[in-house]
Amino acid sequence: MEGIPEVMKMAEIIVPVLTPFNDGKINIELLKEHTSSLLKAGVDRIFVNGTTGMGPALSPGEKETNLKAVLEVTDKVIFQVGSLNMGEVKSLAREGKELGVKTIASYAPYYFTGLPKSLIVRYFKEICGEHDEVYLYNYPSAVGKDVDAETVKEIGCLKGVKDTNDSINHSLQYKRVNPGMKVFNGADTLVMTSIATGLDGTVSAAANFVPEVLVEIRRKVSEGKVGEAMKLQFMVDELVSLAKGYGYIPSIYVLVKGIRGYDVGNPRPPLFPLGDVERKELLDKAIKIMEKYNKNEA
Ligand SMILES: O=C(O)C(=O)C[C@@H](O)[C@H](O)COP(=O)(O)O
């Protein structure tokens, strides 16, 4: 196995890219501009139609629209295809293959509780039948079920997992039980820890608004400058905690415009955009947090 610094240097920063809407319709140009900006900032791959991208609220056509827009900018894409319609899931998986997408992903069937493990196993095996590189997007608190390391072993065909989990140990179990599998953690608060523990990287919504900071965390960790990496992580933690107070996904649109300086449209109801007063309040507080850390006052 490569030396620890090498493993950390290779850790990927993957962004679950937001979906820019104007008047309820996807603004393709804004999505392309945002994608391009994040790649320039050092993000390694774009996770399309994730949670932050409002994936569960998108039609199959809109999921395709997002994919095609991002493919105009880069092929470094993970195409999330999950939905509660197996036919649509398989059709999107085939579409991804036809468009040359290297990796697709899916969350488990959500909302329906009490599903036997055999049904979850079958769901992912059916997707694997349509594409040769399928990742699990494991998000127990949103999906209502945990597709754990042993279940992934039983599924047998998954090549990676994005585990949105506050427990880094939960993510590490995928590595223990399924050697060779790519494992990423999806919690914004575990960017540094994910890289430092030898996971394959992070999938962080915060990469939409502070991509350079996440790239810097990776650099500091790989150079052994843990204290400096920790400070940057704490700044991200405070920004994320602040944003969650206003509604995380709608706040991300405001933070991208306020911090990165370009428009990314709005979220689509029922994720209602922030009002003018909230937008100003959020941005004022976010700038103060960043200034505090940049002046080393933290
Ligand atoms: O948006 C996506 O697809 C992600 O990976 C990140 C996502 O798992 C989400 O930001 C996690 O938020 P919480 O930790 O559940 O607040």
Side-chain angles (χ1 to χ4, degrees):
M1 187 171 174
E2 303 85 356
I4 288 295
E6 284 316 305
V7 169
M8 294 171 190
K9 276 187 196 138
M10 292 189 301
E12 283 190 86
I13 291 166
I14 301 172
V15 60
V17 69
L18 61 72
T19 299
F21 291 97
N22 286 123
D23 302 323
K25 290 191 175 13
I26 295 172
N27 187 319
I28 291 169
E29 288 313 308
L30 293 186
L31 176 55
K32 287 160 62 176
E33 286 163 20
H34 182 45
T35 298
S36 179
S37 169
L38 297 180
L39 290 165
K40 284 195 185 86
V43 159
D44 297 294
R45 276 199 277 180
I46 313 292
F47 190 88
V48 180
N49 306 321
T51 304
T52 308
M54 293 185 65
L58 301 176
S59 69
E62 289 174 326
K63 289 190 175 83
E64 266 185 67
T65 297
N66 275 348
L67 173 66
K68 288 176 179 172
V70 172
L71 284 176
E72 283 188 46
V73 177
T74 181
D75 62 357
K76 294 180 173 45
V77 165
I78 300 174
F79 178 39
Q80 201 288 121
V81 299
S83 92
L84 293 178
N85 181 322
M86 193 80 240
E88 285 175 6
V89 172
K90 293 168 80 171
S91 169
L92 286 168
R94 285 193 295 274
E95 174 79 8
K97 188 173 186 176
E98 284 156 21
L99 291 171
V101 170
K102 184 172 176 295
T103 311
I104 67 171
S106 178
Y107 26 68
Y110 50 89
Y111 186 83
F112 296 107
T113 56
L115 302 181
K117 184 158 80 165
S118 58
L119 184 148
I120 303 300
V121 170
R122 182 170 172 189
Y123 172 83
F124 285 102
K125 282 183 178 289
E126 294 221 4
I127 300 174
C128 288
E130 306 297 341
H131 200 287
D132 56 10
E133 185 157 305
V134 182
Y135 283 11
L136 157 68
Y137 176 10
N138 191 50
Y139 193 359
S141 61
V143 165
K145 49 188 69 67
D146 180 19
V147 185
D148 63 13
E150 294 298 338
T151 306
V152 165
K153 186 174 183 180
E154 194 173 331
I155 293 167
C157 61
L158 296 171
K159 299 288 190 330
V161 55
K162 169 178 111 170
D163 186 30
T164 291
N165 217 298
D166 289 342
S167 160
I168 203 72
N169 180 53
H170 185 277
S171 298
L172 283 167
Q173 295 316 304
Y174 291 106
K175 278 283 183 190
R176 179 180 63 82
V177 175
N178 307 277
M181 187 174 203
K182 290 268 189 189
V183 180
F184 306 89
N185 181 278
D188 293 309
T189 52
L190 293 176
V191 170
M192 173 187 148
T193 310
S194 299
I195 295 168
T197 47
L199 290 186
D200 294 283
T202 172
V203 184
S204 168
N208 279 282
F209 54 90
V210 281
E212 294 88 352
V213 174
L214 272 55
V215 171
E216 188 65 1
I217 288 174
R218 174 176 60 192
R219 192 170 68 81
K220 296 288 187 190
V221 169
S222 66
E223 291 172 354
K225 296 173 181 169
V226 175
E228 292 176 43
M230 207 177 277
K231 278 201 146 181
L232 292 168
Q233 178 67 69
F234 291 160
M235 180 174 77
V236 172
D237 294 356
E238 288 193 32
L239 289 170
V240 170
S241 175
L242 168 68
K244 286 185 174 181
Y246 293 88
Y248 193 33
I249 295 176
S251 295
I252 291 175
Y253 291 75
V254 176
L255 291 175
V256 172
K257 185 168 185 179
I259 296 172
R260 303 191 58 71
Y262 56 81
D263 181 33
V264 283
N266 291 300
R268 182 166 67 184
L271 300 192
F272 294 94
L274 269 57
D276 292 343
V277 172
E278 289 179 309
R279 292 171 80 94
K280 184 180 183 320
E281 214 178 74
L282 167 62
L283 266 183
D284 288 348
K285 290 177 180 175
I287 299 303
K288 283 195 175 68
I289 288 171
M290 297 178 81
E291 283 172 351
K292 175 178 76 173
Y293 279 90
N294 290 336
K295 285 179 190 160
N296 277 320
E297 288 165 359

